[in-house]
Amino acid sequence: MRIPVCEPYLTGKEKGYVLDCLETNWISSAGKYIDRLESEFSEYCGVSSGAVCTSGTTAIHLAVKALGLKAGDEIILPTFTMMASLLPLIYEGIIPRFVDAESDTWNMKPSEIEQHLSPNTKAIMVVHIYGHPVDMNPVWKIAQKHKLKIIEDAAEAHGAEFENKKAGSLGDIACFSFYANKIMTSGEGGIVVSDNNELIQKCKYYRNLGFDPDPEKRFIHQDVGHNYRMTNIQAALACAQLESLDLLVQKRRNNANQYIERLSDLNWLQLPVEKPWAKNVYWMFGIVLKEDAPLSLDDFRKKLKEKGVDTRRFFYPLHRQPVLKKLEIESNFDCPVADSLWKNGLYLPSGSGLSEDQIKYTCDVIHEHGA
Ligand SMILES: *Cc1c(COP(=O)(O)O)cnc(C)c1O
């Protein structure tokens, strides 16, 4: 048996919609699936508008530009997240300020945000790590008090909820990825959503090279734009996935419940949580080896690998990334929780298409080698 960490789960109308693009010749960056994805995905999130683009990373870049953030501004973000949360800030010369993680949700610790504020702070980026939403009440309070914008990096959190409000509707602007291992996919792709249509119009402007919307002035450029356009073919794939999104989320939640049931007797494992106010979509099922674990993280992963079970280590914290040093971007090196998550954390196979047998097998292997 070989169990990958994650595979796309394409069991709806994906093929039919993609063929429709080919048969009608609408294969580039205009077409009905683009419009449909923008309106239906933003509606799913409970906001008014959306702009699709080429990836989650470019979605974050567009959001940052639409908000008017620029070189020298500072943004607060978690250190325990994927590099893609940070790269667009570096592209723009924006200075990152890193907040350590909570030891149970692995999200940014809201109580440590304020100590990183400066007169140059313009925004807070929340990242719903592995599908668990950030506790937004303290974030909203701080943002309001200090007049900061909130960007959601919801790349791992399609369908997640904070107090019954969907990820994507929790800040000023939100970014999702449709990469192949995310909860829904377009192969490669992403979207920016917001209730502020003006911001979304700016995203559409920047994603299309900064062409002037006035046809008479089309080739006269006032700003640095990008080619971040998604194709109708990718949007077709994503439209079909969106029809199945509730099912895809339910499958991930079922996976998590089965893992928790089968692993909760192992006291040396820390399992993911779901706070009472949260709907966790368990993009990845993360576990952390506690101090008294019978084997090291490397040995644990090796044993699983020998039995055909794929795993991934947790994120290497952003404050440790060598590229920051190379660019002489100052960082804060006191993020002990994120450091220990990197040292001891991994995730197990988590795809929506995982079978009950595969989960049982994985848990049996863990029991065999850990007890
Ligand atoms: C996947 C991911 C992204 C980037 O998405 P891409 O589509 O791969 O560019 C950004 N942020 C987080 C937290 C992610 O997990």
Side-chain angles (χ1 to χ4, degrees):
M1 179 140 24
R2 184 182 165 268
I3 311 178
V5 157
C6 193
E7 282 182 311
Y9 188 73
L10 311 175
T11 58
K13 297 186 180 150
E14 287 84 359
K15 196 172 175 181
Y17 288 175
V18 168
L19 279 177
D20 180 40
C21 297
L22 299 180
E23 281 159 4
T24 57
N25 237 2
W26 285 90
I27 59 165
S28 196
S29 50
K32 66 181 179 193
Y33 292 108
I34 304 252
D35 299 335
R36 187 174 145 187
L37 183 58
E38 288 177 339
S39 70
E40 289 183 1
F41 191 84
S42 50
E43 188 186 353
Y44 181 89
C45 295
V47 294
S48 65
S49 335
V52 293
C53 56
T54 49
S55 70
T57 311
T58 57
I60 296 168
H61 196 189
L62 291 173
V64 162
K65 291 187 72 146
L67 286 171
L69 301 172
K70 54 186 191 316
D73 290 344
E74 295 180 20
I75 293 188
I76 305 274
L77 76 163
T79 186
F80 187 67
T81 178
M82 212 253 254
M83 192 63 183
S85 307
L86 172 63
L87 284 174
L89 310 189
I90 295 179
Y91 302 157
E92 294 299 318
I94 295 164
I95 299 160
R97 293 286 172 219
F98 301 116
V99 178
D100 201 3
E102 296 178 321
S103 54
D104 55 354
T105 65
W106 309 325
N107 281 327
M108 174 166 69
K109 210 182 270 176
S111 61
E112 291 188 6
I113 291 176
E114 273 185 307
Q115 70 195 60
H116 299 291
L117 296 179
S118 90
N120 297 325
T121 311
K122 295 289 159 59
I124 302 171
M125 183 190 292
V126 296
V127 188
H128 311 300
I129 294 294
Y130 301 142
H132 192 293
V134 169
D135 182 5
M136 292 304 295
N137 283 323
V139 178
W140 285 332
K141 212 177 271 170
I142 294 164
Q144 194 170 27
K145 185 169 151 200
H146 300 277
K147 299 197 166 54
L148 307 175
K149 299 292 182 193
I150 298 174
I151 304 168
E152 281 183 88
D153 177 350
E156 306 179 357
H158 316 64
E161 292 175 16
F162 171 78
E163 291 183 346
N164 300 313
K165 288 183 277 293
K166 282 252 169 28
S169 70
L170 304 174
D172 294 279
I173 195 163
C175 309
F176 290 84
S177 165
F178 299 135
Y179 179 60
N181 73 4
K182 305 294 173 168
I183 294 182
M184 61 171 274
T185 185
S186 59
E188 293 276 5
I191 190 168
V192 187
V193 299
S194 175
D195 248 341
N196 182 336
N197 186 43
E198 210 176 299
L199 290 178
I200 294 303
Q201 290 312 315
K202 284 184 186 164
C203 291
K204 292 183 178 179
Y205 167 72
Y206 285 120
R207 83 171 169 199
N208 191 25
L209 301 175
F211 282 126
D212 202 299
D214 177 351
E216 291 305 309
K217 300 184 192 153
R218 179 169 170 82
F219 292 113
I220 303 170
H221 295 261
Q222 311 287 345
D223 295 290
V224 178
H226 306 271
N227 180 351
Y228 288 166
R229 300 184 301 255
M230 177 188 266
T231 66
N232 198 45
I233 302 174
Q234 292 167 310
L237 193 49
C239 281
Q241 288 268 285
L242 181 55
E243 290 175 4
S244 310
L245 182 52
D246 285 332
L247 173 73
L248 295 169
V249 165
Q250 194 48 50
K251 284 183 164 290
R252 247 124 160 145
R253 287 175 57 79
N254 285 343
N255 292 349
N257 286 335
Q258 288 175 54
Y259 273 127
I260 290 167
E261 205 165 287
R262 292 182 184 279
L263 295 175
S264 55
D265 59 318
L266 298 176
N267 295 325
W268 48 273
L269 278 186
Q270 180 194 338
L271 302 180
V273 296
E274 180 173 56
K275 294 284 186 177
W277 38 260
K279 180 176 183 181
N280 187 347
V281 289
Y282 299 98
W283 169 58
M284 289 294 163
F285 190 83
I287 59 176
V288 178
L289 303 193
K290 294 188 195 168
E291 219 146 78
D292 58 346
L295 66 185
S296 71
L297 183 76
D298 281 352
D299 289 341
F300 184 82
R301 293 191 60 219
K302 213 183 287 165
K303 297 251 153 133
L304 284 166
K305 184 87 199 165
E306 278 164 17
K307 297 282 182 175
V309 179
D310 242 351
T311 61
R312 289 278 184 290
R313 279 187 78 162
F314 271 9
F315 299 125
Y316 190 59
L318 296 183
H319 71 277
R320 298 258 171 214
Q321 295 293 349
V323 60
L324 290 180
K325 234 186 216 142
K326 191 185 271 180
L327 296 175
E328 295 176 8
I329 296 172
E330 244 182 84
S331 183
N332 39 321
F333 279 93
D334 49 345
C335 298
V337 179
D339 285 340
S340 103
L341 290 173
W342 154 251
K343 224 175 111 213
N344 303 309
L346 75 156
Y347 45 86
L348 299 174
S350 303
S352 295
L354 215 56
S355 72
E356 219 172 307
D357 281 348
Q358 289 175 313
I359 294 174
K360 181 177 181 301
Y361 174 84
T362 300
C363 294
D364 288 347
V365 172
I366 293 174
H367 275 98
E368 233 173 83
H369 290 290

